[in-house]
Every structure is written in C-alpha cells, then in structure tokens.
C-alpha cells in the first residue's frame, strides 16, 4: 500500500496549492513543497528494498476481465525516475517562487505542476500498460496547461497547441501499439510482457507493434522528425522548461524504450529504427543548437540532441549501451535542469535571452556565471564532471559494434562529430553570455539573483561535480539498480572511473574537445553560411497544416451540422440502413423457428392502441398537446407489455419515467411559439418516407433474424448467483447494483451531466410568457386552482412514504433506488403544478451540485471501499443482522449504491424543474414590464 500511496498522494493533493493561495504565495508554495516532499519521502522508504534487488508490485483489482488493474511496480528503473521527478520537482518549486512575478498567486501554477508530477509518477511506476497509457495522456494534457501558463501570449498558446498535437498524436499510436502488444503477450502486465520477449519478437504482429510504440516514444522525446514541438515549447515559463525538459516529460519516451527493451529489443528492426533515429537526432539537433541566438533555444536543441544520444544508446542494443543510456539519463537531468534554471536567472535579471545582447555577465553575476560554466562543461563532456563519464561510455560503445564490422569507422565518426558540436554550442553559451565584451541595450540592469533562487542551481552543480569525481560513491548503486531493471538480466562488467588508460574513447573525447573549439573559432564563416540557407520554419508549417485541417473540419461541420433536425435524422437513419443491411446479409441464415405465444383480445387491443399512438403522434405532430398525449399512450402500452411479459421492475420504471417526462414536456410546451413548423417539400417527404420504411423494416428483419438464430443466454447465471453473489432475490435490482453496477454508475454520471447542462441552459434564459395558446385562446388567469392545490398537498408525504417503501424493498422484490427516485420526482413535479413555483421552490433542495456530488460519491465510494478488502471495484458485501424487537434482517452494501442512484435521479428532476420554474418567473416578470 505504500507504493500505491506515492502517485495517490500526488493526485489527491494536487489542488491543495490552488485552495491555499487565498492565504498568499508562501502558503501555496509550502503546500506544493509539502506534497512533493511527502512523495519523495515515500519513495526513499522503498529504496533500500530496491537496492537489495527486490521488485515490489502493488495491485488493486479494478477491471480484471478487461486486463485493467491498478497495478504499480517499483524496481530500479522506477526508483531512478521517481527520484528525478520528485527531487528536481522540489527544487523547481523553490525556484519558481522567486522566478514568477509577485502578482502571480502561484496556486494555479503549482496545482498544474503537481498534476503533471502525479501523472509522471504514474507513468514510471505503472505495472499495467493500459494504466501507463492513461497516465501518459494526462502528462500530455497537463504539460499543455503548463506550456500555455502565460496564456495571454500568442507564443505560449501556439507552443502548447503544437506540443499537444504532436504528443497527443503519438499517444494514439502508442495506444494501438500497446493493444497489439497485450494481444501478443496475452496480458497487459509488465511482469508477463517482459518475460515474453521471445514470443513477442517471433509474432507476425511484432513489426507494426514496434513501429507504433516507437512513434509514441519518439514524439514524446522529441526525436527527429517530431522534434520541432520542443523548441516552440520554450515559450513556457523557465521553471516549466527546467522540469519538463530535463527530468520528466521528454524523458518519458526514453523511459518507455528502457522499460520495454527486454520485450521489443534484440532484433534488426529495433536496432535500425531506434539507433538510426537517435543518430540523426543527435547530429542534426547539435548542429542546429549552435546557430540559435536564444539561450533557451540553444538549450532546447541541445536537449533534443542528448535525447537522441540516449535513444542511440538504447538502439545499439548491447548490455553496456543500455547501462550507458541509463547513466546519461541521470547526468543529463542534473546538468540540464541547472542550465535551464541559470538561463532563467539571466532572463529574469536581464529581461532578454538573446545571446547577441547578453554579454559580459561574468562581471555582473560571477556566482551564477561560475555555476552555469560548470554545468555547460558537463554538457560538453569535460573531464571531472558527470557528463564526461557517460560520454566516455557512449564513445566506447560506438567502437567495434558488431553491426558495423564492414565500416567500423562510421559509428565512431558520427559520435565524434556530435561530441564536437556539443563542445561548440556549450562553448558558445559560455563565451557569448558570460564574456564577449559588454552587454548591448539590456532592458534591465543585471545583478545576482536572490540567494534562495540560486540554491537549486548550486545543489545541481554540486551533484555534477560529485558524480564526476566520485561516481562509485554517489551514483553507482542507483545506476546498478536502474540498469539491471532495464536489462532484466545480470549486469555486464563495467567500471565507473575517471581514468581507463589511453584508449580509443579517450582519443575521441580529446578530438571532440579540440574539434569543438575549432568549430566555435570558425563561427563567423559558419554563421554567414547558415544565414544563406533557406530558413526552416516548422512552426509556420504546423500553423498552415493546422489551419488547413481546421478549415476542412469547419466545412465538414457546415455540411453535416446545419441546424436541421431532418438532415440529422436522415443521416442517422441512412447510416443505420447501411449498417443494418451489412449485418443482415453477412449474418448466418436463421434455422430456428421463433417461439410464439397465444395472443388474446387484450394483445390485439394493445397492438391497436400502440399503432394509433405512434402513427397519430407522427401524423398529428402539429397538434402539440394531442401529439404528447398520443406519445404518452405509447409509453403506457409499453408498460403494460412489460407487465404481460412478467417484468414488473421494467413496468414500474417505464410508468414512472413516462409520467414524469410527459409532465415536463407539457411544461415546456407552454413556452413554444404558437406558429406552426414549416411544411416540408414533396421531395423531402418522399425521402423521409423511404428512409423510415427501409430503416424500420430493416430493423424488424434484423431483430427477427437475431431472435431466430441459436444463442446462449446468461440469464441462468444471474438467477443462480443473485442470492449468493448479490444477496437479493430481485434479480433485476441485483444486476443493476451489483453485476452491472459499473454500467449503472456510468448512467447516473450521465444523468448528473444532463442536470448540470439543463441548469446552464435555463439559468439565464429569458422568454416572454405567451398570452394565447396555439388555438388563439387566452391562458387562464387561475394558474393553480385552489381545489387542485388542497388535494395535492396531502399526497406529498404519502408519495414520499411510498418511495421509501419501494426503495427499501427493492433488493428482494420489484423496486429500488431508480424507481423510488422517479416516484419522488413525480410527486415534486405534481406539487409544482398544483401549488406553483414559489410553494415548490421552498420545499426543494437548493444545492443541486452538492446533491449530485453526494449521489455520485455514495455510488462510487461504496465501490471503492471494496478495494480495502482486496476485492474488485463495486463488489457487494451482504449479510444478516439481528436487532432486538426488530429481529433478523438482511443488510447489503448495495443499498448505499442504490441510495446514490436515488439521490441523483431526484436531483436531476429537481434541477430541471427548478430551472423551468425560474424561467417561468422571469417570463411573467418580463410580461409585466412590457
């Protein structure tokens, strides 16, 4: 349960800063820091077991039939990313307090940040791939909110939109890939998938599965050609960039590569796709970074380049390359977070990030400059810093790789060129910003930032030095645990040391340092050459593509959604006709005769009434009151059919629903305009008649075909298990609140949304009360006759008593929360009709949103309570209780679920009724004014 508490704590408390911002920025900051600190403390409590080689799995059964459980997994890889997410997140909270303007209350920022952190923890700790996918999409949505935090700026909005479009599209590909992977492995559990690598690689669906999953990973980690969203996301506040683009969001893709490597790696397809993409991204982005004038732009492309390096290492597919990839994940997170924070300090103090203007900062900000220079040295791979160690391991893995025996020089050459470019852009950052003469026309006078704003940078730079000088004492245990989890095999022999003798990797490092200095020295001719190249504007291309898609969507919507209900119905029934024809002609021919029941005079009479009601309501739709009455006859006949077929629960529900909806329809008819609907043309009438005949006749044929075909029913299961499994003899109610309780929960959630939507529609609507009805007769001045009011008032307590009785008995005889709620609703509607709006409003609950929340909380809360007893969601508990004087009686937890259904149903009707009442009051007051 401790493992479940890590993301659970973050999700449960992510709104805390927003709630506490009313007490000031400090309160919001302390709340965010407390949540992250608690999560970090929980992670550290699990660390000793992970270092001992244990993999901890916590699982709560949710939807086991669909392969979806709330399962979390803590191994070395999960521990590494959890420490990065929580540790750097805690530093970002402190940094953001000083970076964001004092007018920002911080609550919204910290709440979105905590939501993102919770989702990232869910991604790296998920044992179930479907659950991982859910968290993956939450990171896309929450990162969209973070990038667009300064939503008043166009650059922030377009950057956020671009990031969401690219990563969201990759998420769709990842969804398809995960579904295929689960199909191949027979499970979505990582424990099963990681052990089924041979089975997965030998399957015919391996190639599409690999491509789809890699699309999800590459879009998230900004690999070429999906890299363009990341530089445009630099419009986000610098604390967001320091968090998302160092340790969290962009690392999710490479985390997925590391996590699924044992299942998907080890093939030529993996090698060429992953290493090829990584190599192109590594070199292209490093070259592009050199020519960026914006500090964050340079750091963005350097991030893409280093992500390409990590991707290339995972693609090389050797045990040591996996170790090197995991090691560089650690090192890159440390030095890149410090660099982004240093860039933010420079922007904060200078008012600009343009390196052509920001010069000579070493004189004005010596401490910040020293810290940034050390971090940039780590990024360049300078000895005695952590980046040098993983860069050396990278160079070593490119030498003599078995896939390049014929051209053994090619891979080391690519790696050395990338190393040169990394040194060149790091040197440009250091020289142009901190030296290179005097600043040029800065908006602000730069100086050192507040002491505690610089503290996170100092801590991260200290880690760069400690890991670089003492790797065996600082990072080795964590690296061993994480790499072993990524490999799912014993670790290869390797040594974290500063000196391995004179060898080819060392020569490559020295050549990269010297070549990088030479490239930067030649920056003048290189910049002149680069300016002559045709400009690449991915943001412009994205915006054009977006406008094209948006324009096509608007034209399609204008074609289909033109406000004509006739067109909507014509399209709907045309689709039904096509789909039904395919189902009818592609299905097996019926060979079983339909069982028939003897039809008496009552059945023929009911059929005649049904035909009269349905045809009359269709033909006489212009006579609104008569049409509503005829539709009511149809509903009444359907209820009688349920009674005839021994379905009393359905009959009760149908009768209550019909009564309530008919009354509400009559109330709404009052406000409809007196004019008749326009008459349709002969061509449209012919079209509608043909569609109705073919669609209705086709559905009849399909129904007869289905009923005549052999089938197996599950009704026997429900009849057998209703008492032992659900604790009730009313099988229908047991199905609703137990066997299919999840469906019922979804239905009442939809009802709650309908109530909120009706409130939004009716709350500010103003209509004029009509003086004449449809036939030109004036409305009666006596809206609520005294006789009707006096007769209906005593019926309210009687109706409520009946609804309570129906509710309490529903688990064993016809009744239940839904029917009881409808009876209560009808009683309230009748009181409104008889006594008026003022009388009814005084007796109706006013906090509709609170009651809807209470009903949903009761229904879902009793379902979640079953998790405490290690049972699936919505498992019912039942038993017999004996009380003095009362005797023995049965209690079932399903009664609480049914109570939630009752509360939601009543509140929905009350909300609609209250809206209509207020609408009527406003209408009559408007009439009085006129």
């Amino acid at each position: 349960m401790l493992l479940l508490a890590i993301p659970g704590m973050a999700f449960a408390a992510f709104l805390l800063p927003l709630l506490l911002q009313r007490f000031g920025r400090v309160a919001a900051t302390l709340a965010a820091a407390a949540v992250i600190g608690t999560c970090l403390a929980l992670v550290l409590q699990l660390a000793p077991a992970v270092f001992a080689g244990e993999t901890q799995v916590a699982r709560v059964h949710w939807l086991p039939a669909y392969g979806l459980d709330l399962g979390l997994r803590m191994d070395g890889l999960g521990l590494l990313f959890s420490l990065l997410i929580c540790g750097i997140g805690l530093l970002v909270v402190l940094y953001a307090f000083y970076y964001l303007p004092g007018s920002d209350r911080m609550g919204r920022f910290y709440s979105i940040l905590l939501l993102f952190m919770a989702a990232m923890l869910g991604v790296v700790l998920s044992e179930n791939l479907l659950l991982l996918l859910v968290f993956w999409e939450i990171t896309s949505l929450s990162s969209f909110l973070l990038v667009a935090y300064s939503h008043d700026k166009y650059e922030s909005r377009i950057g956020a939109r671009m990031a969401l479009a690219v990563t969201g599209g990759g998420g769709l590909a990842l969804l398809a890939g995960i579904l295929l992977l689960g199909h191949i492995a027979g499970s979505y559990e990582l424990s099963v998938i990681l052990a089924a690598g041979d089975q997965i690689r030998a399957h015919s669906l391996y190639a599409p599965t690999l491509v789809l999953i890699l699309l999800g990973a590459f879009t998230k980690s900004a690999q070429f050609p999906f890299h363009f969203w990341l530089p445009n996301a630099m419009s986000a506040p610098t604390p967001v960039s320091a968090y998302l683009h160092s340790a969290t969001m962009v690392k999710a893709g490479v985390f997925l590569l590391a996590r699924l490597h044992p299942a998907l790696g080890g093939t030529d397809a993996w090698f060429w796709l992953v290493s090829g993409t990584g190599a192109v991204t590594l070199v292209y982005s490093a070259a592009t970074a050199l020519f960026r004038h914006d500090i964050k732009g340079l750091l963005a492309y350097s991030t893409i380049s280093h992500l390409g390096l990590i991707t290339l290492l995972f693609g090389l597919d050797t045990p040591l390359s996996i170790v090197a990839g995991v090691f560089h994940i650690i090192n890159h997170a440390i030095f890149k977070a410090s660099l982004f924070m240093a860039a933010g300090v420079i922007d904060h103090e200078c008012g600009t990030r343009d390196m052509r203007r920001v010069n000579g900062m070493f004189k004005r900000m010596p401490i910040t400059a020293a810290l940034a220079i050390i971090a940039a040295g780590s990024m360049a791979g300078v000895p005695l810093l952590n980046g040098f160690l993983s860069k050396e391991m990278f160079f070593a893995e490119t030498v003599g790789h078995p896939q390049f025996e014929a051209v053994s020089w090619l891979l080391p050459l690519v790696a050395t060129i990338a190393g040169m470019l990394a040194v060149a852009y790091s040197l440009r950052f250091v020289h142009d910003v901190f030296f290179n003469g005097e600043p040029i026309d800065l908006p602000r006078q730069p100086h050192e930032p507040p002491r505690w704003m610089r503290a996170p940078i100092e801590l991260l730079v200290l880690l760069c030095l400690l890991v670089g000088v003492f790797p065996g004492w600082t990072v080795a245990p964590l690296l061993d645990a994480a790499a072993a989890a990524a490999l799912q095999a014993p670790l290869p022999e390797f040594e974290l040391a500063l000196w391995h003798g004179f060898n080819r990797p060392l020569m490559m490092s020295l050549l990269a340092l010297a070549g990088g200095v030479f490239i930067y020295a030649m920056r003048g001719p290189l910049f002149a050459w680069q300016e002559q190249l045709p400009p690449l504007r991915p943001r412009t291309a994205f915006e054009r593509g977006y406008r094209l898609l948006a324009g096509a969507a608007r034209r399609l919507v204008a074609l289909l959604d033109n406000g004509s209900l006739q067109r909507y119905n014509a399209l709907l029934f045309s689709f039904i006709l096509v789909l039904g024809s395919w189902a009818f002609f592609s299905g097996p021919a019926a060979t079983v005769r339909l069982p028939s029941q003897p039809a008496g005079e009552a059945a023929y009479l009911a059929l005649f009434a049904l035909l009269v009601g349905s045809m009359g309501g269709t033909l006489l739709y212009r006579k609104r009151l008569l049409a509503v009455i005829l539709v009511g006859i149809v509903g009444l006949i359907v209820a009688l059919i349920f009674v005839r077929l021994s379905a009393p629960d359905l009959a009760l529900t149908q009768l209550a629903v019909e009564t309530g909806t008919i009354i509400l329809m009559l109330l709404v008819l009052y406000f409809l305009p007196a004019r008749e609907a326009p008459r349709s043309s002969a061509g449209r009438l012919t079209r509608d008649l043909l569609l109705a005949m073919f669609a209705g006749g086709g559905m009849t044929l399909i129904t007869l075909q289905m009923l005549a075909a052999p089938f197996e029913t599950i009704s026997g299961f429900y009849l057998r298990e209703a008492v032992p499994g659900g604790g009730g003899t009313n099988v229908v109610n047991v199905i609703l609140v137990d066997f299919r309780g999840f469906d019922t929960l979804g239905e009442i959630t939809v009802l709650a949304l309908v109530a909120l939507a009706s409130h939004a529609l009716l709350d500010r609507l103003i209509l004029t009360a009509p003086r004449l009805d449809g036939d030109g007769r004036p409305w009666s001045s006596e809206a609520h006759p005294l006789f009707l009011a006096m007769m209906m008032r005593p019926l309210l307590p009687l109706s409520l008593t009946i609804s309570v009785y129906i509710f309490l008995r529903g688990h064993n005889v016809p009744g239940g929360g839904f029917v009881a709620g409808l009876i209560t609703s009808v009683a309230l509607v009748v009181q409104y009709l008889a006594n008026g709006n003022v009388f009814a409003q005084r007796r109706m609950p006013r906090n509709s949103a609170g009651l809807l929340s209470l009903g949903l909380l009761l229904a879902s809360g009793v379902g979640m309570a079953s998790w405490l007893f290690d049972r699936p969601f919505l498992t019912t508990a039942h038993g017999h209780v004996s009380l003095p004087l009362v005797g023995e009686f049965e209690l079932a937890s399903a009664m609480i679920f049914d109570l939630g259904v009752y509360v939601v149903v009543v509140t929905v009707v009350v909300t609609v009724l209250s809206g209509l009442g207020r609408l009527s009051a406003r209408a009559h007051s408007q009439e009085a004014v006129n």
Side-chain angles (χ1 to χ4, degrees):
M1 296 303 291
L2 192 62
L3 179 55
L4 295 171
I6 297 173
M9 169 70 184
F11 275 112
F14 82 91
L15 286 175
L16 192 59
L18 187 63
L19 298 175
L20 293 181
Q21 71 174 1
R22 58 187 298 185
F23 301 108
R25 303 173 84 242
V26 175
T29 304
L30 291 176
V35 173
I36 300 177
T38 303
C39 293
L40 181 59
L42 294 174
V43 171
L44 292 174
Q45 288 190 49
L46 298 175
V50 176
F51 287 137
E54 179 182 344
T55 297
Q56 303 180 59
V57 177
R59 183 177 289 107
V60 175
H61 296 295
W62 186 25
L63 296 173
Y66 296 95
L68 184 56
D69 291 333
L70 298 179
L72 298 181
R73 174 192 185 93
M74 175 65 85
D75 57 7
L77 196 61
L79 176 64
L80 165 62
F81 276 88
S82 297
L83 290 174
L84 291 177
I85 292 165
C86 296
I88 295 181
L90 199 57
L91 298 178
V92 167
V93 166
L94 175 60
Y95 178 81
F97 178 78
Y98 293 96
Y99 179 86
L100 294 177
S103 58
D104 193 326
R105 299 170 67 189
M106 305 291 290
R108 182 169 66 93
F109 176 81
Y110 285 139
S111 288
I112 302 173
L113 190 75
L114 289 180
L115 176 63
F116 175 81
M117 185 198 77
M120 277 301 305
L121 287 172
V123 168
V124 302
L125 295 178
S126 289
E127 162 70 4
N128 187 287
L129 286 184
L130 294 177
L131 186 63
L132 181 149
L133 184 67
V134 172
F135 290 129
W136 185 281
E137 293 305 315
I138 297 176
T139 63
S140 296
L141 294 173
S142 52
S143 65
F144 169 81
L145 297 175
L146 285 171
V147 174
Y149 183 73
S150 303
H151 52 81
D152 56 326
K153 300 178 181 177
Y154 173 76
E155 291 79 7
S156 296
R157 297 195 301 272
I158 186 61
R161 184 192 302 164
M162 191 181 300
L164 182 62
V166 176
T167 59
L172 293 177
L174 181 61
L175 167 62
I178 285 177
L179 292 177
L180 288 177
L181 185 60
H183 169 72
I184 295 171
S187 173
Y188 294 102
E189 300 294 318
L190 269 174
S191 302
V192 177
I193 291 172
L194 296 180
D198 294 336
Q199 173 188 344
I200 294 169
R201 287 185 285 269
H203 200 277
S204 60
L205 293 175
Y206 168 73
T209 301
L210 175 64
V211 170
L212 289 168
I213 290 177
L214 290 182
L215 282 174
F218 291 164
T219 52
K220 203 75 162 182
S221 286
Q223 295 299 284
F224 184 88
F226 309 108
H227 64 285
F228 56 88
W229 69 264
L230 182 55
N232 286 280
M234 292 299 107
S235 55
T238 299
V240 174
S241 301
Y243 193 45
L244 269 65
H245 307 138
S246 65
T248 53
M249 181 176 176
V250 294
K251 290 293 197 306
V254 292
F255 164 80
L256 192 65
L257 295 179
R259 177 60 86 195
L260 295 180
H261 170 263
L264 299 176
T267 64
D268 288 344
W270 170 276
F271 175 83
W272 291 111
L273 286 174
V274 179
S275 64
T277 302
V280 172
T281 306
L282 168 64
V283 177
Y284 168 78
S285 299
T288 307
L290 179 63
F291 299 103
R292 298 297 97 186
H293 300 301
D294 176 55
I295 299 176
K296 285 180 69 175
L298 183 149
L299 294 178
Y301 275 101
S302 72
T303 296
I304 299 170
S305 180
H306 281 271
L307 291 170
L309 188 153
I310 297 169
T311 302
L312 173 57
L313 282 168
F314 285 129
L316 293 179
D317 210 10
T318 65
L320 273 177
S321 71
I322 303 301
V323 175
V326 174
F327 191 22
H328 201 66
I329 287 174
I330 301 172
N331 293 333
H332 178 261
I334 295 172
F335 67 67
K336 190 52 63 72
S338 61
L339 283 170
F340 269 118
M341 291 183 185
V345 168
I346 295 167
D347 183 23
H348 188 269
E349 300 303 325
C350 296
T352 180
R353 303 193 302 258
D354 191 339
M355 288 187 288
R356 293 167 296 187
R357 300 168 60 189
V358 180
N359 310 125
M361 289 298 107
F362 193 88
K363 295 179 181 178
R364 294 159 178 81
M365 307 166 63
I367 301 177
T368 301
L371 296 171
I373 290 170
I374 295 173
S378 180
M379 179 170 65
V382 174
L384 299 181
L385 297 172
N386 63 339
F388 171 76
L389 298 176
S390 52
K391 187 71 71 69
E392 282 278 287
M393 294 180 72
F394 166 57
F395 286 157
E397 285 306 298
T398 63
V399 175
H401 194 278
Q403 289 279 3
F404 289 89
E405 289 180 350
V407 283
S408 58
W409 52 269
L410 180 60
L411 196 55
L413 177 63
V414 171
T416 305
I417 292 174
M420 291 178 180
L421 292 170
V423 172
Y425 64 65
S426 300
L427 190 56
R428 186 193 176 194
F429 168 71
V430 171
H431 179 262
D432 284 15
V433 173
F434 301 111
F435 303 99
N436 200 28
E438 295 298 318
I440 300 173
D441 193 22
L442 295 182
R444 302 172 192 160
Q445 184 64 33
H447 54 78
E448 287 287 357
R451 172 69 185 82
W452 289 105
M453 184 179 183
R454 200 175 58 230
I457 309 174
E458 295 169 345
L459 180 59
L460 291 168
V461 170
L462 179 62
L463 288 176
C464 290
L465 290 167
L466 291 176
V467 173
V469 179
F470 307 108
W473 296 352
T474 53
V475 78
L478 182 59
L479 175 60
D480 290 347
L487 286 168
Q488 292 291 300
L491 286 173
E493 292 186 6
F494 68 95
E495 182 183 5
L496 293 178
L498 293 174
W499 178 253
H500 294 279
F502 286 102
N503 52 22
R504 292 178 69 180
L506 179 61
M507 298 302 296
M508 293 168 65
S509 294
L510 295 176
L511 186 59
L513 289 171
V517 173
F518 175 75
I519 290 174
Y520 182 67
M522 298 295 294
R523 63 188 180 279
L526 287 175
F527 281 11
W529 168 77
Q530 191 267 341
E531 290 177 357
Q532 295 176 1
L533 296 177
L536 297 177
R537 297 187 177 91
R539 192 177 83 175
T540 303
F542 174 82
E543 278 295 282
R544 288 177 180 173
Y546 174 81
R547 284 195 292 268
L548 286 175
L549 287 175
R554 281 192 294 269
R555 288 190 293 272
L556 182 61
V557 169
L559 178 66
L560 300 178
D561 185 15
N562 65 341
S564 170
L565 291 177
Q566 286 184 322
R567 176 173 293 189
Y568 299 160
N569 284 324
L571 292 172
L572 173 63
F573 285 110
S574 298
F575 173 75
I576 291 174
L577 185 60
V578 172
L579 184 64
S581 299
W582 171 81
F584 181 79
F585 291 107
S586 63
T591 57
V592 181
R593 294 181 59 85
L594 286 174
S596 60
Q597 295 185 4
E601 295 179 356
Y604 288 117
L605 183 61
L607 177 61
F608 176 75
L610 191 64
L611 291 173
V612 169
S614 57
M615 294 181 67
T618 303
L619 296 174
L620 302 175
Y621 70 96
R622 297 180 184 279
K623 304 293 184 180
R624 293 168 180 167
L625 181 59
L626 180 58
V628 170
I629 294 173
L630 291 171
V631 170
I633 292 175
V634 173
L636 178 61
I637 297 301
V638 171
L640 294 176
I641 292 174
F642 288 148
V643 173
R644 173 67 177 83
L645 298 177
S646 301
D649 277 279
L650 294 179
L652 270 174
T653 305
Q654 173 67 24
L655 194 59
V657 168
E658 198 64 36
T659 304
T661 53
I662 289 297
I663 295 176
L664 289 176
M665 286 175 66
L666 291 173
L667 291 174
V668 172
L669 285 180
Y670 174 72
F671 292 102
L672 289 182
R675 64 179 182 273
E676 292 186 351
R679 297 184 179 276
S680 300
S681 63
R684 180 171 292 183
L685 286 174
T686 303
R687 180 204 65 181
D688 295 344
L689 177 61
L690 292 175
L691 276 175
M693 291 174 61
F694 282 111
M699 290 303 297
T700 302
L701 290 176
I702 291 176
T703 303
L704 293 175
Q705 182 88 346
M706 292 178 61
L707 292 174
F711 63 91
E712 294 182 4
T713 177
I714 60 171
S715 58
F717 167 81
Y718 291 138
L719 292 171
R720 288 192 309 271
E721 297 295 328
V723 175
T729 57
N730 182 7
V731 182
V732 174
N733 184 262
V734 173
I735 291 173
L736 291 176
V737 301
D738 190 337
F739 296 135
R740 303 297 296 271
F742 199 78
D743 293 348
T744 306
L745 179 61
E747 291 164 2
I748 63 172
T749 304
V750 172
L751 280 177
L753 294 176
V754 169
L756 295 176
S758 68
H759 172 76
L761 288 172
L762 297 175
D763 188 44
R764 299 183 182 277
L765 181 62
I766 297 177
L767 298 175
T768 302
R771 297 186 177 130
L772 305 175
D773 66 2
D775 296 326
R777 295 169 298 185
W779 287 97
S780 172
S781 59
E782 190 180 9
H784 309 288
L786 180 63
F787 176 76
L788 182 63
M790 292 297 102
M791 185 177 67
M792 289 301 169
R793 289 191 183 185
L795 291 180
L796 180 60
L798 178 61
S799 301
L800 294 178
T801 303
I802 293 173
S803 68
V804 171
Y805 170 71
I806 292 294
F807 171 80
L808 293 175
R809 77 174 200 162
H811 210 49
N812 292 292
V813 292
F818 192 79
V819 178
L822 289 173
I823 293 174
T824 301
S825 302
V826 170
L828 294 175
V829 170
V830 170
Q831 293 300 315
Y832 171 82
L833 288 175
N835 297 282
N837 182 47
V838 176
F839 176 88
Q841 291 288 347
R842 291 174 180 172
R843 288 156 179 81
M844 290 183 185
R846 298 182 181 275
N847 188 8
S848 298
L851 285 175
L852 290 173
S853 302
L854 175 62
L856 293 175
L857 183 62
L858 287 172
S860 58
V862 72
M864 290 186 287
S866 57
W867 289 342
L868 301 176
F869 303 94
D870 197 25
R871 293 290 188 274
F873 182 63
L874 284 174
T875 301
T876 299
H878 55 87
H880 288 78
V881 178
S882 181
L883 292 178
L885 301 178
V886 178
E888 184 176 323
F889 60 94
E890 185 185 29
L891 280 180
S893 61
M895 182 175 291
I896 302 176
F897 183 91
D898 228 6
L899 180 60
V901 175
Y902 174 86
V903 172
V904 170
V905 170
V906 173
T907 308
V908 168
V909 177
V910 165
T911 302
V912 175
L913 192 60
S914 298
L916 290 174
R918 290 190 294 271
L919 176 63
S920 177
R922 289 193 298 269
H924 285 92
S925 63
Q926 185 76 11
E927 181 185 15
V929 171
N930 295 336

